[in-house]
Amino acid sequence: PVLFVPFSDRVITTQVDANGAQRRVEQLQTGTWVFFPQSLEVQGTVRSLPRMRGLHEVRVFELDSTQRASFRVLIPHDEDPATPRTIGEPQLGFGIRDVRGLIGVPSLRVSGVQRRLIQGQGHGSSGLHTKLTVPAAGTTIALDVEFKSSLQGTETLSIAPLAERNVITLASTWPHPQFHGDFLPRSRAIGPDGFKARWDVSSLASTAQSQFRAGMSRRSAQGSTAAGDAVGAVDAISVSLVDPVNVYSQVDRATKYGVLFVLLTFVAFFMFEFLKQLRIHPVQYGLVGLAVAIFFLLLLALSERIPFG
């Protein structure tokens, strides 16, 4: 969750015209304050949902998560009381790289009040957001946010630790997780019944906030069409549900031994030819080599239909 507060300032400048006369010109400059939560707690359960594409199994996951975040934000005072600043409607946004993975309707409560979610993270990014009451300059915004959602994905689940302190706990019944990304779990437990991992990441150890702001600056310079990738490229914790030993890895290991079997067979033939002076035709070498190679070709073809053992 990220809080966006748009604002506009009236700036008075002095310009000189072609005749050398000075005149005061009032211009409107707009901008957006970006605020991150003081704390973020994510608790999620990851389920493995295998899907088949022809003969191949695609590992699909489904994440049921609850995010709780706390904001304590001070809106800046007017720099010049003579030209008061205009503050726009704040947006509380949740960035999601691919919103097509959302299942059902997520639930958002802000300070105990149910809020309606709107498409888009805010300012052109992919995700969801809600609009809040316009604050006055110099006031403090205090928000306690609870966001519940179900999300499907295929390869990797990543969560960006944008808060000052981020505590992320994930559990799953899948026994073969792969932890990668920019931060490894502080604690983990992996067994035949699944895994449970916990991350505790401070903003002092992460550049995610500065990367997020830099992404917004690039998006403003390049236009809104480049928003998704620019804002999405931040530090993240990542976990994948992998299958360490599948039929293709087993066949790959077997074919490496297959090269040894072919070479040993040729060496045995050569020893008979050299010691016994028995001439062996090159076609016989080729037929025997093909006979051995066909075993491994059939091993690949049949193991896609029959268990490898």
Side-chain angles (χ1 to χ4, degrees):
V2 179
L3 182 63
F4 304 95
V5 182
F7 67 92
S8 57
D9 286 326
R10 288 186 297 158
V11 180
I12 299 176
T13 59
T14 302
Q15 297 182 356
V16 180
D17 58 18
N19 299 323
Q22 296 184 351
R23 58 191 183 92
R24 292 164 61 88
V25 178
E26 183 177 298
Q27 296 178 339
L28 192 65
Q29 294 183 351
T30 61
T32 301
W33 293 311
V34 180
F35 299 106
F36 302 103
Q38 273 65 47
S39 64
L40 172 64
E41 180 182 354
V42 180
Q43 293 182 339
T45 301
V46 185
R47 293 194 300 274
S48 174
L49 304 172
R51 297 287 186 267
M52 299 301 295
R53 185 176 180 85
L55 293 174
H56 307 283
E57 184 177 285
V58 180
R59 187 66 55 188
V60 177
F61 67 83
E62 184 175 308
L63 170 69
D64 293 330
S65 66
T66 300
Q67 300 182 31
R68 294 182 178 89
S70 176
F71 287 86
R72 299 295 182 269
V73 173
L74 176 62
I75 301 299
H77 292 273
D78 291 333
E79 297 180 0
D80 186 0
T83 56
R85 176 182 293 123
T86 301
I87 300 176
E89 197 172 37
Q91 296 180 354
L92 179 64
F94 298 83
I96 301 174
R97 177 63 64 88
D98 192 348
V99 293
R100 293 175 299 176
L102 281 172
I103 303 172
V105 180
S107 170
L108 174 64
R109 300 181 69 86
V110 179
S111 298
V113 179
Q114 193 76 25
R115 292 281 183 170
R116 175 176 172 266
L117 287 163
I118 309 171
Q119 287 184 345
Q121 184 193 11
H123 303 276
S125 298
S126 174
L128 303 171
H129 74 277
T130 188
K131 296 181 179 180
L132 304 175
T133 306
V134 177
T139 59
T140 300
I141 299 179
L143 302 175
D144 292 319
V145 180
E146 183 181 77
F147 179 71
K148 295 182 178 181
S149 65
S150 295
L151 187 70
Q152 275 192 356
T154 53
E155 294 182 1
T156 300
L157 166 65
S158 298
I159 300 175
L162 287 173
E164 298 296 326
R165 187 192 177 192
N166 306 268
V167 179
I168 301 167
T169 304
L170 297 177
S172 175
T173 56
W174 184 252
H176 307 298
Q178 179 184 5
F179 302 112
H180 50 105
D182 299 284
F183 306 96
L184 294 178
R186 183 178 180 182
S187 61
R188 70 184 79 177
I190 304 174
D193 297 330
F195 74 90
K196 185 174 183 180
R198 183 178 184 271
W199 291 260
D200 193 344
V201 181
S202 168
S203 61
L204 299 176
S206 169
T207 58
Q209 293 184 1
S210 59
Q211 291 170 340
F212 188 92
R213 296 181 192 274
M216 288 192 62
S217 300
R218 288 194 300 269
R219 182 187 59 193
S220 300
Q222 299 172 5
S224 60
T225 56
D229 291 338
V231 177
V234 298
D235 289 347
I237 66 102
S238 299
V239 61
S240 300
L241 306 183
V242 299
D243 194 353
V245 180
N246 55 32
V247 59
Y248 299 104
S249 63
Q250 291 175 316
V251 171
D252 179 63
R253 295 173 186 175
T255 51
K256 292 176 181 177
Y257 288 104
V259 177
L260 176 63
F261 287 133
V262 173
L263 289 178
L264 284 178
T265 304
F266 285 174
V267 169
F269 278 24
F270 177 76
M271 294 301 294
F272 273 101
E273 188 175 3
F274 180 74
L275 296 177
K276 299 291 186 180
Q277 299 299 316
L278 297 176
R279 299 298 297 170
I280 300 177
H281 198 276
V283 173
Q284 292 175 305
Y285 276 100
L287 291 176
V288 172
L290 286 175
V292 180
I294 283 177
F295 168 82
F296 297 96
L297 180 62
L298 290 175
L299 178 65
L300 171 61
L302 295 178
S303 60
E304 290 185 326
R305 296 290 187 179
I306 303 172
F308 184 86

